[in-house]
């Protein structure tokens, strides 16, 4: 049965601009979001898949200074790098935007003004570290010193990366400016804007309680922040920085915020909306084109909005961003869309330890693509996605999964049947013969397997979907092994023709089903079958007759090569240390 065509808005956590991301970042948001977007498109739904680079805040300024470039120039260059890597991993964004865009400046200030008019933003005087030599207030990450907990000498003013203890800048021993290294620091009073989240707690709690289908990981983190200790707190939404969305602007319901910008946690989620507006601009469409995805009063009432993110981002997307939306909606007029489902992930660890961007430990996206094509990585990462618990990348497991799943199961099936047909019947789907009990049993098993695969994909149960897909590949191999058309051909070539015809149709079916996981291999399989038919198998028996007798094909090249022990050992050594 063909499913009803629906509208799906999908966003993945916005990667930070300061450098190339590692595989743990990739599998925690962008890659599973891409899987789901590709699947929904294949089922005929209308999909808007949005991501962007998060370009404001302290780390952007520090990274630019380290690179010796103006921050705007640095961010533009790194956006281009990250966009190219996204294309390399075949991430099918409808738009990959930038939080520094004019659209995001305007929308961030719109939400801030609206919240301020609802008296949901307050001005708070607070003490903050001021660097005399730099002549500026220093946000948390601009201050370094010795951790009072573990003695690590490069702890930041918000957290020690070594022991992970959360800190205040005043906790540090021998604090110094991360900009100049100066130790001439003073504590001075400054004023900042705070979002009054506590006043929205009843509405946020009721909204979270209504999400009974959300992953336990998502709701447990949200409820912890809501209720533990003193509960949900008001949160500062401005910083003393030069790079960002100005907090003082025409129409702002406050004064005296010159020289301050909105904090990234406030403006970055708004970029989901802004990037959709950027998409409309880039495609020559008017505001109605993006508003129908985000404004319920403009047609977004039938949209299902799903966010993908690592567990560290859950508090911002279950509490702070919803607070922004709920608060803005109080004003009336515009009614903004709240997320319907948040798919959160645990961490992917690396070979007995952790990925580390600062230490260069692990495999980064550019390095991965320099070693093997995207599909190898996509398959392993998605089939081992850290859904219910943290998972671990090891080179032994990666080699085993690639060699057994991709090369020995899928690749082997495609190679065996196409080469056999070419040798015995030529490069065209053979005619003749009828399906017997063995073929009918295979068709029934495939139909059952497709239904299970669809259920897992609909539920965003990624590892189980990968298992179901692999089980479908196995069905083809087991059928070939037991039917043995090369043996049958000797005594009953017409029956062998029927077996071969069914198997060649399985190749096309596997391509369609596998495309969300391994799009390049799927494209190669369809090209080999010389078909553009990507129709989803709503009717499996009909789908297994899509390539009619006489349909020409070419024998594809080897889909997946095996990883050798020597390669595995070399890579394991290469990515255990410091990234240059």
């Amino acid at each position: 049965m063909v499913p009803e065509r629906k509208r799906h808005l999908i966003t993945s956590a916005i990667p930070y601009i300061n450098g190339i991301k590692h595989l743990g970042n990739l599998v925690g948001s962008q890659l599973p979001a891409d899987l789901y977007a590709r699947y929904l498109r294949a089922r005929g739904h209308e999909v808007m898949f949005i991501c962007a680079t998060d370009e404001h805040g302290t780390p952007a300024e520090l990274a630019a200074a380290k690179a010796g470039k103006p921050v705007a120039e640095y961010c533009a260059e790194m956006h281009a790098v990250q966009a190219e890597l996204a294309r390399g991993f075949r991430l099918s964004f409808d738009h990959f935007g930038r939080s520094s865009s004019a659209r995001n400046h305007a929308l961030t200030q719109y939400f801030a003004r609206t919240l301020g008019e609802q008296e949901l933003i307050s001005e708070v005087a607070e003490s903050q570290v001021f660097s005399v030599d730099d002549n500026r207030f220093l946000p948390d990450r601009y201050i370094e010193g010795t951790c009072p907990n573990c003695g690590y000498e490069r702890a930041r003013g918000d957290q020690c990366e070594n022991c992970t203890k959360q800190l205040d800048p005043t906790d540090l021993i021998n604090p110094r400016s991360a900009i100049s290294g100066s130790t001439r620091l003073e504590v001075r009073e400054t004023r900042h804007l705070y979002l009054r989240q506590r006043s929205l707690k009843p509405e946020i709690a009721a909204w979270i309680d209504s999400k009974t289908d959300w992953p336990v990981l998502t709701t447990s983190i949200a409820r912890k922040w809501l209720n533990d200790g003193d509960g949900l707190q008001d949160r500062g939404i401005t910083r003393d920085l030069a790079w960002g969305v100005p907090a003082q602007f025409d129409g702002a319901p406050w004064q005296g915020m010159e020289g301050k910008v909105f904090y990234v946690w406030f403006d970055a989620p708004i970029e989901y909306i802004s990037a959709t507006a950027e998409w409309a601009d880039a495609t020559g469409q008017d505001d109605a084109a993006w508003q129908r995805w985000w404004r319920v009063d403009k047609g977004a009432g039938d949209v299902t909005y799903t966010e993908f993110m690592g567990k560290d981002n859950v508090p911002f997307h279950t509490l702070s961003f919803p607070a922004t939306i709920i608060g803005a909606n109080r004003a009336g007029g515009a009614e903004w869309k709240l997320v319907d489902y948040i798919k959160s992930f645990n961490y992917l660890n690396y070979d007995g330890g952790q990925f580390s961007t600062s230490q260069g430990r692990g495999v980064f996206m550019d390095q991965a693509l320099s070693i093997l094509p995207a599909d190898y990585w996509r398959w392993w990462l998605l089939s081992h996605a850290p859904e219910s618990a943290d998972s671990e990348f090891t080179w032994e497991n990666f080699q085993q999964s690639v060699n057994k799943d991709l090369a020995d199961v899928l690749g082997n099936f495609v190679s065996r049947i196409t080469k056999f047909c070419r040798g015995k019947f030529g490069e065209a789907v053979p005619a003749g013969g009828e399906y017997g009990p063995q073929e009918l049993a295979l068709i029934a098993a495939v139909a059952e397997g497709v239904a299970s695969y669809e259920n897992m994909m609909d539920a965003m149960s990624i590892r189980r979907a990968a298992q179901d897909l692999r089980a479908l590949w196995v069905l083809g191999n087991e059928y070939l092994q037991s039917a043995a058309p090369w043996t049958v051909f000797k005594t009953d070539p017409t029956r062998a023709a029927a077996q071969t015809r069914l198997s060649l149709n399985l190749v096309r079916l596997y391509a369609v089903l596998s495309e969300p996981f391994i799009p390049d291999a799927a494209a190669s399989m369809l090209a080999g079958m010389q078909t553009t038919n990507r129709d989803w198998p709503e009717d499996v028996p009909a789908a297994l007759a899509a390539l009619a007798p006489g349909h020409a094909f070419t024998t594809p090249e080897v889909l997946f090569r095996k990883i050798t022990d020597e390669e595995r050992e070399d890579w394991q050594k290469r990515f255990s240390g410091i990234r240059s």
Side-chain angles (χ1 to χ4, degrees):
M1 188 176 97
V2 178
E4 178 188 355
R5 180 177 167 86
K6 297 181 179 179
R7 298 173 63 216
H8 287 269
L9 172 64
I10 299 170
T11 62
S12 62
I14 297 178
Y16 207 75
I17 196 69
N18 64 334
I20 293 168
K21 305 302 141 186
H22 56 64
L23 297 185
N25 300 133
L26 180 63
V27 76
S29 60
Q30 293 178 320
L31 191 53
D34 178 71
L35 176 81
Y36 190 55
R38 286 177 176 274
Y39 167 73
L40 291 175
R41 292 191 195 106
R43 298 300 303 274
H45 300 300
E46 184 181 1
V47 173
M48 177 60 63
F49 179 24
I50 291 295
C51 194
T53 41
D54 182 0
E55 300 188 6
H56 295 142
T58 310
E61 292 194 5
L62 291 176
K66 185 177 180 181
K69 296 179 179 179
V71 65
E73 179 183 331
Y74 172 82
C75 287
E77 289 180 4
M78 286 308 303
H79 174 81
V81 169
Q82 292 201 22
E84 182 60 28
L85 288 170
R87 284 188 290 270
F89 274 96
R90 307 299 184 250
L91 302 178
S92 59
F93 302 128
D94 287 285
H95 189 74
F96 187 60
R98 301 182 61 189
S99 70
S100 62
S101 69
R103 281 287 195 178
N104 201 43
H105 276 238
L107 270 171
T108 297
Q109 291 173 344
Y110 157 83
F111 277 106
R113 182 179 68 251
T114 304
L115 291 165
E117 290 168 350
Q118 301 305 305
E119 298 185 348
L120 290 171
I121 289 179
S122 59
E123 296 181 34
V124 176
E126 59 182 40
S127 296
Q128 194 170 333
V129 175
F130 184 87
S131 171
V132 176
D133 291 329
D134 297 315
N135 193 32
R136 61 179 294 174
F137 284 99
L138 298 179
D140 301 348
R141 289 196 174 202
Y142 271 66
I143 308 165
E144 292 182 345
T146 301
C147 175
N149 186 54
C150 72
Y152 182 59
E153 294 183 351
R154 295 190 60 189
R156 298 191 306 255
D158 59 346
Q159 186 178 35
C160 175
E161 188 180 66
N162 186 56
C163 69
T164 73
K165 183 177 178 62
Q166 291 193 333
L167 301 168
D168 287 321
T170 52
D171 295 332
L172 294 172
I173 301 168
N174 300 323
R176 60 190 177 274
S177 165
I179 302 170
S180 62
S182 172
T183 58
R184 294 180 65 198
L185 308 180
E186 300 175 356
V187 177
R188 296 185 182 180
E189 187 175 277
T190 184
R191 289 188 310 127
H192 280 289
L193 300 177
Y194 273 65
L195 178 60
R196 298 178 59 214
Q197 296 183 149
R198 281 181 294 183
S199 66
L200 293 165
K201 180 179 177 179
E203 291 164 84
I204 296 171
W207 174 68
I208 291 171
D209 288 343
S210 73
K211 302 302 181 182
T212 55
D213 62 333
W214 280 13
V216 172
L217 178 64
T218 302
T219 53
S220 62
I221 292 172
R223 290 194 174 104
K224 180 177 181 179
W225 279 66
L226 265 176
N227 302 314
D228 282 9
D230 295 328
L232 185 63
Q233 298 296 301
D234 294 348
R235 184 136 192 185
I237 60 170
T238 54
R239 289 291 187 269
D240 291 289
L241 294 170
W243 174 247
V245 180
Q248 193 62 57
F249 54 92
D250 290 343
W254 48 73
Q255 295 296 323
M257 290 294 152
E258 291 82 6
K260 301 181 192 291
V261 300
F262 288 106
Y263 187 27
V264 287
W265 79 257
F266 183 74
D267 83 79
I270 294 170
E271 171 59 16
Y272 294 140
I273 306 172
S274 305
T276 316
E278 293 168 44
W279 159 83
D281 294 340
T283 53
Q285 301 183 72
D286 60 14
D287 283 349
W290 68 263
Q291 289 174 346
R292 69 188 286 266
W293 290 102
W294 283 104
R295 284 184 53 174
V296 176
D297 58 306
K298 298 284 188 179
D302 63 346
V303 170
T304 299
Y305 175 23
T306 306
E307 294 178 348
F308 288 78
M309 69 193 64
K311 59 186 177 183
D312 53 329
N313 279 317
V314 168
F316 304 112
H317 293 78
T318 55
L319 304 172
S320 299
F321 186 38
T324 298
I325 299 298
I326 291 169
N329 286 346
R330 278 188 177 181
E335 183 182 354
W336 297 91
K337 175 76 180 171
L338 278 162
V339 65
D340 294 297
Y341 191 88
I342 296 179
K343 174 70 173 179
S344 55
F345 292 86
N346 290 283
Y347 294 139
L348 175 69
N349 294 319
Y350 177 75
D351 220 7
Q354 291 183 325
F355 283 90
S356 173
T357 300
S358 62
Q359 297 177 26
R361 188 174 188 278
V363 187
F364 291 73
M365 289 173 67
D366 58 339
Q367 296 168 329
L369 293 177
S370 74
I371 294 171
L372 289 168
D375 280 354
Y376 293 71
W377 301 105
R378 288 178 63 102
W379 173 252
W380 189 92
L381 290 167
L382 290 167
S383 62
H384 293 78
E387 291 177 290
S388 59
D390 291 353
S391 58
E392 182 174 10
F393 177 92
T394 69
W395 287 103
E396 291 81 1
N397 186 278
F398 178 65
Q399 178 191 29
Q400 181 182 48
S401 182
V402 166
N403 290 358
K404 290 192 173 182
D405 298 348
L406 298 180
D408 287 346
V409 181
L410 179 61
N412 180 60
F413 174 80
V414 173
S415 178
R416 287 176 81 187
I417 193 57
T418 53
K419 288 180 179 177
F420 169 74
C421 186
R422 180 178 64 186
K424 300 301 182 184
F425 299 104
E427 287 190 321
V429 177
E434 300 292 333
Y435 291 163
Q438 204 171 11
E439 288 68 48
L440 297 176
L442 172 63
I443 293 170
V446 169
E448 183 179 341
V450 168
S452 180
Y453 176 59
E454 291 171 350
N455 288 337
M456 292 303 104
M457 290 290 273
D458 288 335
M460 286 170 270
S461 184
I462 293 169
R463 290 177 75 141
R464 291 182 64 185
Q467 292 167 9
D468 282 347
L469 180 58
R470 186 186 188 279
L472 284 162
W473 300 341
V474 169
L475 285 175
N477 274 284
E478 290 177 342
Y479 170 73
L480 270 190
Q481 197 64 30
S482 60
W486 40 86
T487 301
V488 173
F489 181 81
K490 298 173 184 176
T491 57
D492 192 350
T494 57
R495 174 159 170 70
Q499 295 170 330
T500 303
R501 186 165 63 252
L502 178 58
S503 299
L504 289 172
N505 271 284
L506 265 179
V507 174
R508 189 202 72 86
L509 181 71
Y510 287 163
V512 173
L513 295 173
S514 304
E515 194 272 344
F517 280 90
I518 45 174
D520 286 349
S524 294
M525 293 158 71
L526 289 173
M529 293 298 103
Q530 295 190 15
T531 181
T532 58
N533 182 350
R534 295 173 175 265
D535 292 347
W536 192 264
E538 309 294 349
D539 179 340
V540 169
L544 289 173
L547 302 182
H551 180 94
F553 70 90
T554 53
T555 304
E557 297 294 321
V558 174
L559 280 181
F560 296 99
R561 71 169 185 83
K562 290 192 173 186
I563 296 171
T564 67
D565 291 344
E566 290 75 20
E567 286 175 315
R568 185 202 73 223
E569 291 167 2
D570 174 55
W571 297 336
Q572 192 162 9
K573 290 176 184 175
R574 196 190 310 178
F575 301 112
S576 61
I578 299 297
R579 176 182 170 89
S580 60

